Every structure is written in C-alpha cells, then in structure tokens.
Amino acid sequence: MPKGNSHNSLKRGKSTQDLQRRSGNKNSRNYILIVVEGEETEYNYVCALKHELELSTVDIKVVPAYGGDPLVTVNEAEKLCQENERNSNRGNTVRFDKVFCIFDDDNKPKKYQEALPKAQKNGFETITSIPCFEFWFLLHYCYTTSPFANYKELCPKLETEMIKAGVLKKGELYNKSDKELYKKLKSQQDNAIKHAVRLEKNHPNEDGCTNPSTKVHIFVQELQKQKQFK
C-alpha cells in the first residue's frame, strides 16, 4: 500500500471542516465518498436515497465498483482516496471527510473476509449485509434471525413478502435492476430500521460475519441526521 494511503489518509489534506474553520464559512459542506459493490441494486438505492434527502449539508459522490466483489469495492475506495489526496494537496479539491464501502458476502466469503480489515486499515466505514443487500429489503416487511445461505435462498422469501405488501403482483419476480425500488420500499423504511436495530440487539454482529445481518440502517440514519443538521 502506498505511503499516505493508510488509515490516517482521511486526516490529511484540506477538509471541508478545515476550510470552514479557516474561512469562517458556515456554508462549507462535508464531502462523503460512497463506493458500492453493485452496479445496479446498491447503486440505484443509494442514489435514490441521496436524491430524496436533497442534502444541503454534504456533497456526496456515489461510485459503483465494477466487479461485484467486496475486495474490489475497498480497492476502488482506496484508489479514489489516493487521487483525492493528491488533488487536495494541490489545492484542486477538498479531501473526503468520510468514506463508506457498501458490500455483502454473497458467494464471496474469502474476498469479504479480506475486505473487512483492509477497509478498517484505511479508515473506511463498512456497510455490510449478510448474505446480501436484499436482506435489508426483507427487513422492510418482516423481522427474522433465520440465516440464508445466499441471495438465491433469500429472494423467494423477499418476493413472497413484497407480494403480500402489494409491492409485487402475484407471480411477479423481484427485479434487482428496478430503478424505482427505493420508492416502492420507502413507506416501510422506518419498519426496516426498527427491525435492524432489534436484530443488532438480539443477534449481535460483533465480527461483521453474522448471518443474517445488515448495517444499511446505520448508513440511512447517518444521512438522515445530515438532513436534520445533527
């Protein structure tokens, strides 16, 4: 790993907070990088959340890590931070104040295990889901601690719950590429957060590898706090 791209890399360069302190500019905004594993599901969801919140307190850059792999996601975040640091040192931009990496372990447990410590070393916040990002969607409709082997095992359960809720028509299949998915799920978002918090309490995910688990609610709540200027 190149010198300067360690955990402390997020502490160097000109941050928006630095600029705010120096200039007294109360309108300075935080700069957040979000790198997502999926090119469709996670990317569409995060972009829709960002659009809905219309955040005025932060600039958010959302990047898909082409490759569908947890380690590729963290490597992409690392590369973008290196570029950001170089540009920040030249005065061409401000450095990222925070970096999120969103990925799951579905069928890639080895890469998942490698990605977790590498993200931690770089100071990135990992928003993980096991077995897959769709577990977060399932929590919109029900609470469960039952493990799922993978996406293929979870998907029928999700489809059943979405049909019950009227989000899908009978016989309709869940579509990972549906750009309207966030809007369809939104009415049950508070329910999903409540279920995720309950899961954290009753089914701890201390090593980041508990099945099932998700941290997406932490990410959603953090952006919501930005909306509320907390």
Side-chain angles (χ1 to χ4, degrees), residues 27-88:
N27 295 321
S28 294
R29 311 199 313 172
N30 286 332
Y31 190 18
I32 295 177
L33 171 66
I34 303 169
V35 184
V36 299
E37 179 182 350
E39 299 170 26
E40 294 178 329
T41 312
E42 291 93 335
Y43 181 76
N44 291 338
Y45 184 89
V46 172
C47 288
L49 174 64
K50 171 188 169 184
H51 178 75
E52 184 218 23
L53 292 175
E54 295 182 330
L55 299 173
S56 61
T57 56
V58 293
D59 283 326
I60 297 177
K61 181 176 183 176
V62 186
V63 179
Y66 298 100
D69 175 314
L71 195 55
V72 169
T73 304
V74 175
N75 287 340
E76 179 68 16
E78 187 180 61
K79 185 191 78 174
L80 292 172
C81 282
Q82 288 173 349
E83 294 174 357
N84 172 260
E85 184 176 354
R86 287 194 295 269
N87 287 327
S88 173

Side-chain angles (χ1 to χ4, degrees), residues 40-41 44 134 137 151 155 158-159 162 168 172-182 184:
E40 294 178 329
T41 312
N44 291 338
E134 279 79 5
F137 296 163
Y151 166 78
C155 193
L158 175 62
E159 289 173 341
M162 292 178 81
L168 294 181
E172 186 179 359
L173 300 177
Y174 165 72
N175 180 5
K176 291 174 69 74
S177 305
D178 185 356
K179 292 186 177 179
E180 300 299 312
L181 197 56
Y182 178 85
K184 293 176 181 178

Side-chain angles (χ1 to χ4, degrees), residues 111-167:
K111 295 291 182 64
Y112 180 86
Q113 295 282 358
E114 292 174 3
L116 286 176
K118 187 164 189 177
Q120 184 178 19
K121 185 177 180 181
N122 280 281
F124 305 154
E125 184 161 350
T126 53
I127 302 299
T128 56
S129 295
I130 298 177
C132 55
F133 192 75
E134 279 79 5
F135 179 67
W136 163 246
F137 296 163
L138 180 61
L139 290 180
H140 285 63
Y141 304 105
C142 66
Y143 172 78
T144 180
T145 59
S146 299
F148 295 92
N150 49 40
Y151 166 78
K152 288 183 179 179
E153 186 174 290
L154 183 143
C155 193
K157 173 67 173 172
L158 175 62
E159 289 173 341
T160 297
E161 296 298 330
M162 292 178 81
I163 289 171
K164 283 183 187 175
V167 177

Side-chain angles (χ1 to χ4, degrees), residues 136 139-140 188-200 216-218 220-221 224:
W136 163 246
L139 290 180
H140 285 63
Q188 298 300 313
Q189 189 179 76
D190 289 344
N191 211 31
I193 292 172
K194 182 180 70 176
H195 286 156
V197 170
R198 180 181 169 191
L199 189 73
E200 272 186 322
V216 178
H217 63 296
I218 297 171
V220 172
Q221 287 180 306
Q224 289 175 338

